[in-house]
């Protein structure tokens, strides 16, 4: 008798979630307590109302909930999670004019962090707040100059060293960061402190908890924790204009009044595929968490997404892809592969097909950040119609007007399928997801979709004639690809050999200088 599959235990607070889908979109004019300045900023961004997940978070933060509990949000891709946390945090911080780092948003990738920073930058200046970025896109020295400044001390005032440490202070109220660069600043940037942090957002939580990233989470929690017997790092200077808020204890914890502890660190964790693993969630040290989700299913696809499959002959798979792209007639598409190497080779191959009526570029972790940013800009603006990507694009990336997602390689896990498919059908728009399959993959793919309660994935027919007509072009393209791969391999060997010789030469020089 087969052993029954063990069920993963579910935390009590996750058993009775708040169903976000029961809420309606709310016009901006009816959002309770919304700062008029933020309403104008949202309108300038093209918003006329808030989506259900945004209203749900608003009610639990600015509304009756008033940040009394930590929030865990599990909502489909494209449902508006970024603004769901950005808007209430900006409004809450604007209530007090304190120039110090009070909100931290951590994301797993640079590209996603850049995107989230844009959202904050579109609304925060409207209420006098500034936003910083720490992702390693520029040198750490450039980042430090943006994040830290030396305050101007008022002449004739004697500062008591017991209360103040005149020197460096934060230039930003909100910081969007990747874990590695965040740890760099914590360890080496003078004046960088998390001692006044009010809000911590962990976006794409399941990925950030799955990968250690230099133990960033326990480090952040340790530096923001306040216990009777625990003293964080050295205290930080705040300008005298803060009135009663200028009282700084030697522990470095900001207090509004004597005897009243600084408000607890509020945490907001979000994902389209939020983990239910108690051992992982326990790392977050959540305070009476409230679970917000959409419906009763754990894995959910965008409401207006259509899924299709193409059954292909393995050797002719690129031809089926080209035939599909031609049939889509230049609509904006993202083609996903299983690795950065596959991305590079597939994009190179496709560009050897002559006279295709659309522009194709690759987007992967093999490229420099500047190259990726330029490619993404061209894709957003419509100069590039087809983006061939590794899973670097899957999580959270929002590109307006993506009509189609194509899985060139079938995803192994339902989480991957959900994050890939979620690049289209965003913000209530329609979209399609195509998956190219070998015949022997069809059964596994069906089981995969059932995990998201998706039992409708019809076959998308590509005319055999359109595939057959490209055989000669395909043969020529394959030959060119082979030559290109061999040339690149040769160049890589030369670069590796040169680096090795330079390394040995430097080592010999170092030995001579030491003797």
């Amino acid at each position: 008798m087969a052993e029954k599959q063990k069920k993963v235990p579910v935390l009590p607070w996750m058993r009775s979630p708040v169903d976000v889908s029961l809420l309606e979109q709310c016009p901006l004019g009816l959002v309770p307590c919304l700062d008029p300045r933020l309403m104008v900023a949202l309108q300038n961004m093209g918003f006329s109302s808030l989506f259900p997940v945004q209203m749900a978070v608003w009610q639990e933060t600015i509304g009756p909930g008033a940040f009394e509990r930590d929030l865990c949000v599990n909502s489909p891709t494209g449902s508006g999670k970024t603004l769901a946390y950005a808007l209430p945090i900006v409004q809450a911080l604007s209530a007090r004019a304190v120039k110090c780092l009070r909100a931290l948003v951590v994301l797993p990738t640079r590209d996603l962090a850049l995107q989230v920073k844009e959202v904050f930058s579109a609304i925060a200046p409207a209420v006098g707040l500034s936003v910083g970025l720490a992702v390693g896109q520029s040198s750490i020295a450039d980042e430090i100059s943006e994040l830290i400044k030396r305050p101007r001390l008022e002449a004739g005032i004697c500062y008591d060293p017991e209360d103040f440490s005149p020197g460096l202070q934060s230039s930003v109220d909100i910081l969007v960061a990747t874990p590695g660069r965040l740890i760099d600043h914590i360890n080496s940037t003078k004046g960088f402190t998390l001692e006044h942090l009010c809000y911590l957002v962990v976006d794409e939580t399941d990925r950030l908890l799955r990968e250690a990233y230099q133990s960033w989470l326990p480090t952040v929690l340790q530096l923001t924790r306040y216990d009777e017997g625990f003293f964080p790092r050295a205290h930080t200077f705040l300008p005298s204009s803060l009135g009663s808020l200028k009282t700084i204890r030697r522990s470095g914890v900001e207090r509004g009044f004597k005897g009243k502890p600084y408000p607890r660190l509020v945490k907001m964790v979000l994902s389209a595929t939020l983990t239910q693993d108690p051992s992982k969630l326990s790392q977050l040290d959540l305070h009476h968490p409230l679970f917000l989700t959409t419906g009763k299913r754990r894995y959910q696809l965008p409401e207006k997404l259509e899924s299709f499959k193409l059954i292909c002959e393995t050797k002719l798979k690129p031809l089926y892809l080209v035939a599909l792209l031609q049939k889509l007639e230049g609509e904006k598409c993202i083609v996903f592969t299983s690795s950065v190497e596959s991305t590079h080779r597939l994009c190179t191959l496709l560009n050897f097909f002559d006279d295709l009526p659309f522009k194709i570029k690759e987007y992967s972790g093999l490229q420099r950040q500047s190259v990726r940013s330029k490619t993404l800009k061209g894709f957003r603006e419509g100069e590039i119609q087809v983006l061939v990507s590794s899973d670097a694009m899957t999580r959270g990336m929002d590109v307006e007007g993506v009509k189609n997602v194509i899985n060139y390689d079938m995803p192994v896990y339902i989480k991957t399928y959900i994050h890939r498919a979620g690049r289209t059908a965003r913000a209530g728009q329609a979209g399609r997801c195509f998956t190219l399959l070998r015949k022997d993959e069809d059964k596994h793919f069906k089981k995969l979709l059932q995990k998201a309660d998706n039992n409708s994935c019809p076959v998308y027919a590509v005319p055999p004639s359109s595939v057959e007509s490209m055989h000669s072009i395909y043969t020529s393209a394959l030959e060119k690809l082979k030559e290109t791969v061999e040339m690149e391999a040769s160049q890589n060997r030369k670069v590796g050999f040169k680096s090795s010789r330079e390394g040995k030469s430097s080592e010999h020089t170092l030995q001579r200088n030491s003797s």
Side-chain angles (χ1 to χ4, degrees):
M1 188 174 179
E3 186 180 347
K4 289 185 178 179
Q5 187 176 3
K6 293 181 180 179
K7 290 186 177 180
V8 177
V10 177
L11 291 165
W13 56 267
M14 298 191 90
R15 293 173 187 158
S16 302
V18 174
D19 190 349
V20 171
S21 63
L22 298 178
L23 297 176
E24 300 287 339
Q25 285 194 35
C26 182
L28 294 180
L30 299 180
V31 176
C33 305
L34 179 62
D35 190 308
R37 297 169 294 175
L38 290 176
M39 184 185 299
V40 172
L42 290 170
Q43 289 170 339
N44 291 339
M45 293 171 70
F47 287 94
S48 58
S49 61
L50 294 187
F51 293 138
V53 68
Q54 295 162 353
M55 276 307 301
V57 174
W58 184 265
Q59 290 176 3
E60 297 299 334
T61 52
I62 303 302
F67 282 112
E68 291 178 359
R69 308 171 66 179
D70 290 339
L71 298 183
C72 294
V73 182
N74 187 82
S75 184
T77 55
S79 58
K81 290 190 290 296
T82 302
L83 191 62
Y85 61 77
L87 187 61
I89 285 175
V90 167
Q91 170 132 336
L93 293 183
S94 68
R96 290 193 291 177
V98 183
K99 181 56 69 176
C100 56
L101 179 55
R102 291 177 286 160
L104 172 64
V105 183
V106 184
L107 300 116
T109 67
R110 290 180 183 178
D111 298 307
L112 189 50
L114 287 165
Q115 179 180 291
V116 169
K117 198 258 185 180
E118 288 178 4
V119 174
F120 272 101
S121 296
I123 58 175
V127 290
L129 299 176
S130 55
V131 187
L133 185 69
V135 297
Q137 185 180 24
S138 55
S139 70
I140 194 165
D142 289 339
E143 282 188 358
I144 291 171
S145 67
E146 293 292 324
L147 300 180
I148 305 296
K149 68 177 179 181
R150 291 185 178 276
R152 294 175 59 186
L153 303 182
E154 296 180 30
I157 296 180
C158 182
Y159 293 93
D160 186 349
E162 290 293 312
D163 292 328
F164 296 97
S165 177
L168 304 167
Q169 72 178 81
S170 176
S171 297
V172 300
D173 304 280
I174 302 161
L175 178 64
V176 180
T178 50
R181 186 45 69 97
L182 173 64
I183 290 295
D184 288 343
H185 285 294
I186 288 173
N187 289 336
S188 60
T189 299
K190 292 181 179 179
F192 184 86
T193 176
L194 302 180
E195 292 166 356
H196 312 293
L197 206 64
C198 301
Y199 305 104
L200 171 63
V201 178
V202 185
D203 202 343
E204 298 297 343
T205 309
D206 47 330
R207 180 170 174 183
L208 283 169
L209 292 182
R210 188 173 67 245
E211 301 175 23
Y213 293 113
Q214 298 175 269
S215 301
W216 75 272
L217 181 58
T219 301
V220 169
L221 294 182
Q222 181 76 351
L223 292 174
T224 55
R225 187 175 293 125
Y226 177 71
D227 301 315
E228 287 299 322
F230 177 76
F231 295 92
R233 297 183 303 158
H235 55 299
T236 303
F237 173 79
L238 290 177
S240 59
S241 61
L242 300 183
S244 62
L245 283 175
K246 73 179 181 180
T247 304
I248 310 297
R249 291 295 180 220
R250 288 172 87 73
S251 65
V253 178
E254 179 186 341
R255 296 181 176 220
F257 305 95
K258 287 185 178 180
K260 183 180 179 182
Y262 183 66
R264 68 176 184 85
L265 175 66
V266 175
K267 306 181 193 81
M268 301 174 71
V269 301
L270 309 96
S271 178
T273 53
L274 187 65
T275 181
Q276 293 185 357
D277 186 337
S279 64
K280 291 181 179 178
L281 290 171
S282 65
Q283 299 173 46
L284 294 160
D285 191 23
L286 298 172
H287 174 78
H288 299 295
L290 183 65
F291 186 31
L292 306 179
T293 188
T294 307
K296 296 180 179 179
R297 300 193 303 270
R298 180 183 177 188
Y299 299 121
Q300 296 185 67
L301 294 164
E303 186 180 355
K304 295 186 178 180
L305 177 78
E306 292 182 282
S307 296
F308 298 94
K309 59 186 176 183
L310 278 76
I311 308 299
C312 309
E313 295 178 45
T314 305
K315 292 182 179 180
L316 301 179
K317 199 173 177 181
L319 292 183
Y320 281 87
L321 174 61
V322 172
L324 175 60
L325 291 172
Q326 289 177 327
K327 200 169 181 181
L328 297 177
E329 297 180 337
E331 290 181 346
K332 197 176 284 187
C333 301
I334 302 176
V335 179
F336 284 109
T337 72
S338 58
S339 68
V340 290
E341 292 80 8
S342 296
T343 293
H344 178 63
R345 293 193 181 194
L346 179 60
C347 185
T348 303
L349 177 66
L350 293 177
N351 279 301
F352 286 140
F353 280 75
D354 298 327
D355 302 323
L356 290 178
F358 38 79
K359 192 172 182 179
I360 305 169
K361 286 282 186 179
E362 73 174 283
Y363 182 95
S364 80
L366 284 178
Q367 299 170 309
R368 295 192 306 274
Q369 180 66 43
S370 58
V371 174
R372 289 208 308 271
S373 297
K374 183 179 179 181
T375 299
L376 194 58
K377 183 174 183 288
F379 189 54
R380 290 186 194 279
E381 295 175 352
E383 297 171 7
I384 300 165
Q385 292 77 42
V386 179
L387 207 62
V388 182
S389 175
S390 64
D391 283 323
M393 267 291 278
T394 55
R395 286 183 176 265
M397 294 300 292
D398 186 11
V399 178
E400 187 177 351
V402 175
K403 299 290 186 182
N404 308 286
V405 164
I406 301 172
N407 292 313
Y408 181 78
D409 294 320
M410 185 190 78
V412 178
Y413 304 107
I414 185 60
K415 283 187 177 184
T416 307
Y417 184 86
I418 286 172
H419 285 288
R420 286 182 181 183
R423 299 316 101 214
T424 187
R426 300 177 68 82
Q429 301 297 310
R432 294 180 291 184
C433 181
F434 301 88
T435 303
L436 277 60
L437 301 170
R438 303 189 309 265
K439 287 183 180 180
D440 62 324
E441 292 177 320
D442 191 21
K443 186 176 180 180
H444 177 69
F445 182 64
K446 185 177 180 179
K447 289 181 178 180
L448 190 79
L449 291 186
Q450 285 174 348
K451 293 180 180 179
D453 288 346
N454 184 357
N455 297 310
S456 175
C457 186
V459 173
Y460 190 86
V462 172
S465 58
S466 62
V467 174
E468 293 168 2
S469 64
M470 292 186 288
H471 272 263
S472 60
I473 300 174
Y474 181 43
T475 302
S476 173
L478 282 175
E479 286 297 320
K480 292 177 182 177
L481 175 64
K482 184 180 178 181
E483 293 172 6
T484 302
V485 169
E486 289 174 352
M487 182 179 66
E488 289 177 345
S490 176
Q491 290 175 344
N492 289 336
R493 283 194 296 271
K494 288 179 181 178
V495 170
F497 179 69
K498 183 179 179 182
S499 299
S500 175
R501 291 195 64 179
E502 288 176 350
K504 289 180 180 179
S505 175
S506 299
E507 186 179 345
H508 291 321
T509 303
L510 184 62
Q511 289 173 348
R512 285 199 306 270
N513 292 339
S514 301
S515 58

